[in-house]
Amino acid sequence: QVQLVESGGGSVQAGGSLRLSCTASENTPPSACMAWFRQAPGKEREEIAAMHTGARNTFYADSVKDRFTISQDNAKNVLYLQMNSLKPDDTAMYYCAAVSRRCWMGSDYLHWGRGTQVTVSS
C-alpha cells in the first residue's frame, strides 16, 4: 500500500506563499500520475494540479494556473506544491494523491494522504 503524508500547510495572509510537501512511501511507482486536490467546507473536492512523474508533464486548474507550481524530488520521493499569491478562496484542506490511469480530467487516484490545512486570511 502506497502511503502519502502531506505537510507544509498553515495560516497565511492574502498575497503570501506556502509550499506543501507530500512524502511518498518507497513502494510508490517511479513513473506515475500524482496530484494535489483541495476541498473547502461545503464544496466538492477539486483537482488543482497534477503531473506524470515519468513524463514530467504538468496540468493545472484555471483557478491556480500561474500561481501554483507542482514539482517533484525523485531522490527524496517528495511531491511539492508551491503556492504563491494566495487568496482567501484558496482556503481548503489540501490532499496529495498518487497512481491513476489518467493524471487529469477523469482521474481515479488510488492512494490518498490525510491532508494538510491551508488558511488564507484577507
Side-chain angles (χ1 to χ4, degrees), residues 15-30:
S17 299
L18 284 173
R19 188 176 78 160
L20 305 184
S21 299
C22 171
T23 302
S25 55
E26 290 187 358
N27 59 343
T28 304

Side-chain angles (χ1 to χ4, degrees), residues 3 6 40 56 74 76 116:
Q3 294 186 334
E6 302 95 336
R56 300 274 183 157
N74 269 348
K76 298 180 180 178
T116 185

Side-chain angles (χ1 to χ4, degrees), residues 22-73:
C22 171
T23 302
S25 55
E26 290 187 358
N27 59 343
T28 304
S31 179
C33 293
M34 295 190 73
W36 288 97
F37 287 74
R38 68 184 181 187
Q39 187 166 21
K43 294 187 178 181
E44 292 187 356
R45 187 174 62 194
E46 175 188 19
E47 186 174 7
I48 57 170
M51 72 180 299
H52 192 278
T53 59
R56 300 274 183 157
N57 48 337
T58 57
F59 308 88
Y60 295 95
D62 288 343
S63 58
V64 305
K65 198 171 184 179
D66 298 328
R67 299 188 299 124
F68 291 9
T69 302
I70 188 171
S71 63
Q72 63 170 141
D73 183 332

